[in-house]
Amino acid sequence: FLATYWVNKFFRNLLSFSSCQERQYYFVNQLMNWDDAQRYCRKHHTDLATIGNSKDIKQFLDIVSSTNNNVWIGLYSNINWTWSGELNSVGSQYRNWESSDNDPDFISANQFCVCIGDNGGWWDYDCAKKFPFVCYNARTTEFVAVDEAMNWSNARTYCQQNFTDLATIRNIAENQRVQTLVATGYWAWTGLRRDENIYWSDQSSFRFSNWDNISNLIDSNTRICGATSKAKSAKWKFLPCQRKLPFVCY
């Protein structure tokens, strides 16, 4: 018992000590894409920069004080849109993003669910937002409009309990059918969403955040990568991972 106690105490103290250590950041003024920057950092230091608290931000800003340009940090997010009801259905790759708003635009890195507007265009949106929604009834093969506003998760639960699931839209014809169910001037949840995954390159837990309140254009990318700058007070954003930027290691 005593041996177990002291082993547990040792590891608790070790974790506490480690969490209090300041990261030593290194600015690398070489232009690389995110993956090459990651490889460089892992070879010469530990990894691309992880920023875990406001103290890290202050130290980070000191390191990048010589440039106002964007620099890579260790953030990334995988783009894996899936339908709630038919994850592997034929035609599930159909999309009708609202091009006038450059959707999906992932504003403030907080838009993981998809709604359809009265014009048939799709927007990514905060899943906690309350909208009416469209269910699918597999028994009758009909789409069903529900006027009560709910967040995405509650809307899905309602559809599963009363019909089949939130609407899966597989082609232009189905998009037009769903569009007719959306009230003028409104949006409605569909079944499309993606995992709320945002990771650090070194696999640190993602708890602290410092997002810039801007669009993070996804386009056709399957992954987007994190960047920041002194000019933006180290506020974070996502960019295409193939872009070449200087970077910060730790």
Side-chain angles (χ1 to χ4, degrees):
F1 174 84
L2 286 176
T4 301
Y5 169 82
W6 284 111
V7 168
N8 290 338
K9 183 177 178 64
F10 169 80
F11 280 108
R12 283 198 302 271
N13 290 340
L14 180 63
L15 288 171
S16 176
F17 174 80
S18 298
S19 66
C20 293
Q21 297 303 295
E22 291 186 4
R23 293 182 176 88
Q24 180 65 52
Y25 294 118
Y26 303 91
F27 173 56
V28 182
N29 194 19
Q30 299 180 38
L31 299 180
M32 296 187 189
N33 63 41
W34 191 90
D35 291 289
D36 287 343
Q38 181 193 57
R39 280 189 283 270
Y40 179 99
C41 290
R42 288 178 173 179
K43 179 178 180 180
H44 297 282
H45 302 286
T46 301
D47 212 320
L48 275 167
T50 294
I51 301 174
N53 51 53
S54 55
K55 194 172 184 179
D56 283 351
I57 288 177
K58 184 179 184 303
Q59 185 184 355
F60 185 93
L61 286 170
D62 289 341
I63 291 298
V64 297
S65 61
S66 61
T67 180
N68 283 318
N69 295 329
N70 289 320
V71 297
W72 288 128
I73 57 176
L75 282 174
Y76 68 96
S77 181
N78 296 316
I79 311 302
N80 51 356
W81 298 109
T82 53
W83 293 101
S84 60
E86 301 178 32
L87 301 185
N88 298 304
S89 62
V90 175
S92 62
Q93 297 306 308
Y94 173 77
R95 304 286 185 264
N96 193 43
W97 297 112
E98 180 54 50
S99 58
S100 66
D101 274 358
N102 294 316
D103 274 83
D105 56 4
F106 199 30
I107 294 174
S108 300
N110 191 37
Q111 297 180 319
F112 294 92
C113 296
V114 176
C115 57
I116 182 173
D118 61 354
N119 67 345
W122 300 2
W123 284 260
D124 60 336
Y125 226 99
D126 180 355
C127 303
K129 179 73 174 179
K130 292 183 177 181
F131 286 130
F133 50 98
V134 179
C135 303
Y136 178 69
N137 188 337
R139 184 174 58 83
T140 63
T141 68
E142 293 293 329
F143 294 109
V144 182
V146 179
D147 292 333
E148 183 179 355
M150 298 184 189
N151 64 38
W152 191 92
S153 293
N154 288 342
R156 186 189 185 197
T157 298
Y158 181 97
C159 290
Q160 290 175 329
Q161 290 176 345
N162 294 278
F163 301 100
T164 303
D165 212 314
L166 278 166
T168 293
I169 303 173
R170 296 169 295 183
N171 50 54
I172 294 174
E174 289 186 348
N175 198 68
Q176 291 172 339
R177 287 170 60 192
V178 173
Q179 177 186 348
T180 63
L181 300 175
V182 182
T184 302
Y186 284 84
W187 293 267
W189 286 128
T190 71
L192 191 62
R193 67 165 293 163
R194 68 185 186 92
D195 290 341
E196 297 184 17
N197 66 80
I198 298 175
Y199 303 111
W200 288 110
S201 175
D202 67 357
Q203 301 305 303
S204 295
S205 297
F206 184 82
R207 297 190 181 96
F208 175 78
S209 63
N210 192 42
W211 297 111
D212 199 356
N213 186 30
I214 61 171
S215 296
N216 297 280
L217 299 183
I218 292 174
D219 296 322
S220 59
N221 293 297
T222 57
R223 186 183 55 161
I224 48 179
C225 294
T228 188
S229 68
K230 183 187 74 171
K232 284 288 190 174
S233 302
K235 294 286 186 182
W236 307 339
K237 62 182 176 183
F238 281 116
L239 294 171
C241 302
Q242 63 270 24
R243 189 170 297 183
K244 292 188 176 182
L245 302 175
F247 52 97
V248 176
C249 308
Y250 82 93

